[in-house]
Amino acid sequence: MNKIIDLRSDTVTKPTDEMRKVMSSAIVGDDVYKDDPTVNELEKYAAEIMGKQSAIFVPSGTMGNQICIKTHTNPGEEIILHRKSHIFVYELGAPAVISGVLTKLLDGPDGAIDIDELKESIQQGDMHHAKTTLICMENTHNVCGGTVVSLEHMKKAYDIAKENNIKVHLDGARIFNAAAALGVDVKEIAKYSDSVMFCLSKGLGAPVGSMVCGEYDFIEKAMRVRKMLGGTMRQAGIIASAGLLALKTMPDKLCLDHEKARFFAEGLIGHKNINIDLSSVQTNMVNVDFIDTSYDSYDISNMLKDKNILVNGDKNIKRMRFVFHRDVDMKDTQIAIEALRQILN
Ligand SMILES: *Cc1c(COP(=O)(O)O)cnc(C)c1O
């Protein structure tokens, strides 16, 4: 049977043999009592590389983001975020449900919130308005196509937040992709945030888990929220061991995924039914728009599936996201290019 080429997400990456080995021999304990040395080591290491004082291991990126929002805010306050942010688009209204906050949505190219709009949108909490207490940023930006938000922009937004005594949370699910694309240390990105969440389970290839990093006081409070949401685990060293290995060995390899995405985009550019904004192909994703064809992305995903290629498709949507990761190589990428060309003819 032909190999399945899975381009739905980088979350589909399977743990390596090395990861399975460290998992089987991980030293563990009850993490509710802080007794799991492997979790403790992962948290210490994660905090260190992010340039924060402390960190906690959480089951998912979504929970990590929501823990941060709840820790930073009180019910009735307002958070500002990009209209296409994962927190708004893909987290099921959780800020409203879990934290009781309003979400104010702003626009901006490639996931970077318009700075003038940001300045104008902050509410200081007079007698008539909800008070703005948190700004959420996302880097790389998922819905915008894995685009990188520049350090200049991050700094501008962070400075505005600080001038107004507002906290900044960074959804850094793919912060290592951003760092690889910018050629900087992740610390240089994370320093423009009060809290940062990143995923071990995406391009880094670990099976489960995300990290929340911040200052001591913040993490202390965040630990209570994690417990409340049921996200505090017991012998979590089993999965933390794979996360730690991922964190130590995978970031340097992400540039290979970026090369595959670039190769894919360049292999399709110029096709009469395909539109790709090459300038937005900055990391491991490619957003492809289908033009002058009756097929929507749902049809195309079905036709690709017949060729053993998996991509998410939606009815009536002409855009399709292709995600590159460790478990697809250049040959698979070439196969995907040819398959798409065949389908569109
Ligand atoms: C995947 C993702 C998340 C959520 O992570 P899960 O582990 O799937 O809950 C949050 N933010 C961004 C930008 C993501 O891409």
Side-chain angles (χ1 to χ4, degrees), residues 221-279:
K221 282 191 213 160
M223 279 174 64
R224 290 179 58 82
V225 178
R226 178 182 66 171
K227 188 79 170 77
M228 188 191 293
L229 297 180
T232 311
M233 298 175 280
R234 302 292 177 172
Q235 283 79 42
I238 298 282
I239 47 177
S241 62
L244 187 59
L245 184 65
L247 207 45
K248 287 188 171 168
T249 58
M250 295 300 181
D252 289 346
K253 297 179 181 146
L254 292 174
C255 56
L256 300 173
D257 299 340
H258 300 182
E259 284 169 21
K260 289 168 227 168
R262 191 86 207 163
F263 180 75
F264 179 77
E266 284 173 354
L268 290 167
I269 209 89
H271 189 286
K272 66 183 191 329
N273 299 119
I274 285 178
N275 199 14
I276 297 171
D277 174 9
L278 266 185
S279 72

Side-chain angles (χ1 to χ4, degrees), residues 11 59-63 65 86-87 91 138 140-142 171-174 197 199 201-202 209-210 285 321:
T11 55
S60 72
T62 300
M63 191 190 280
N65 279 336
H86 190 282
I87 290 173
E91 299 188 14
E138 184 177 319
T140 62
H141 204 280
N142 183 347
D171 177 349
R174 295 186 181 83
M197 181 286 291
C199 294
S201 56
K202 293 191 169 166
S210 293
M285 296 182 191
R321 184 190 76 158

Side-chain angles (χ1 to χ4, degrees), residues 42-297:
L42 170 63
E43 292 179 341
K44 186 162 174 278
Y45 185 70
E48 232 168 71
I49 57 173
M50 285 294 152
K52 303 291 187 199
Q53 289 175 350
S54 193
I56 46 171
F57 186 42
V58 295
S60 72
T62 300
M63 191 190 280
N65 279 336
Q66 297 307 324
I67 286 171
C68 291
I69 293 169
K70 189 160 181 67
T71 306
H72 283 305
T73 63
N74 297 298
E77 293 175 350
E78 179 181 79
I79 68 173
I80 294 180
L81 59 174
H82 194 280
R83 189 176 306 282
K84 294 180 177 171
S85 62
H86 190 282
I87 290 173
F88 182 71
V89 176
Y90 289 120
E91 299 188 14
L92 297 96
V97 177
I98 294 170
S99 301
V101 292
L102 286 87
T103 43
K104 180 178 274 170
L105 306 178
L106 301 183
D107 295 297
D110 293 342
I113 294 170
D114 185 275
I115 289 294
D116 292 329
E117 256 194 80
L118 178 63
K119 281 184 195 156
E120 288 163 15
S121 298
I122 291 169
Q123 297 180 160
Q124 305 284 4
D126 61 19
M127 276 301 289
H128 309 281
H129 299 101
K131 186 175 176 167
T132 309
T133 48
L134 180 66
I135 298 169
C136 297
M137 300 209 264
E138 184 177 319
N139 205 1
T140 62
H141 204 280
N142 183 347
V143 172
C144 290
T147 47
V148 180
V149 178
S150 73
L151 292 178
E152 295 72 45
H153 184 276
M154 299 270 317
K155 181 176 190 315
K156 273 185 199 160
Y158 185 70
D159 287 347
I160 291 166
K162 293 303 108 179
E163 280 160 27
N164 290 280
N165 202 19
I166 292 172
K167 300 290 185 193
V168 173
H169 170 64
L170 173 60
D171 177 349
R174 295 186 181 83
I175 192 172
F176 288 95
N177 294 86
L182 289 168
V184 301
D185 204 278
V186 279
K187 276 192 192 98
E188 295 304 312
I189 307 172
K191 73 180 181 190
Y192 301 117
S193 70
D194 298 293
S195 60
V196 56
M197 181 286 291
F198 69 90
C199 294
L200 298 162
S201 56
K202 293 191 169 166
L204 299 184
V208 190
S210 293
M211 305 303 300
V212 166
C213 312
E215 300 307 276
Y216 291 125
D217 291 359
F218 173 83
I219 293 297
E220 196 103 320
K221 282 191 213 160
M223 279 174 64
R224 290 179 58 82
V225 178
R226 178 182 66 171
K227 188 79 170 77
M228 188 191 293
L229 297 180
T232 311
M233 298 175 280
R234 302 292 177 172
Q235 283 79 42
I238 298 282
I239 47 177
S241 62
L244 187 59
L245 184 65
L247 207 45
K248 287 188 171 168
T249 58
M250 295 300 181
D252 289 346
K253 297 179 181 146
L254 292 174
C255 56
L256 300 173
D257 299 340
H258 300 182
E259 284 169 21
K260 289 168 227 168
R262 191 86 207 163
F263 180 75
F264 179 77
E266 284 173 354
L268 290 167
I269 209 89
H271 189 286
K272 66 183 191 329
N273 299 119
I274 285 178
N275 199 14
I276 297 171
D277 174 9
L278 266 185
S279 72
S280 77
V281 182
Q282 299 171 7
T283 59
N284 66 327
M285 296 182 191
V286 182
N287 274 338
V288 174
D289 291 310
F290 300 110
I291 47 174
D292 301 326
T293 168
S294 58
Y295 298 142
D296 58 20
S297 73

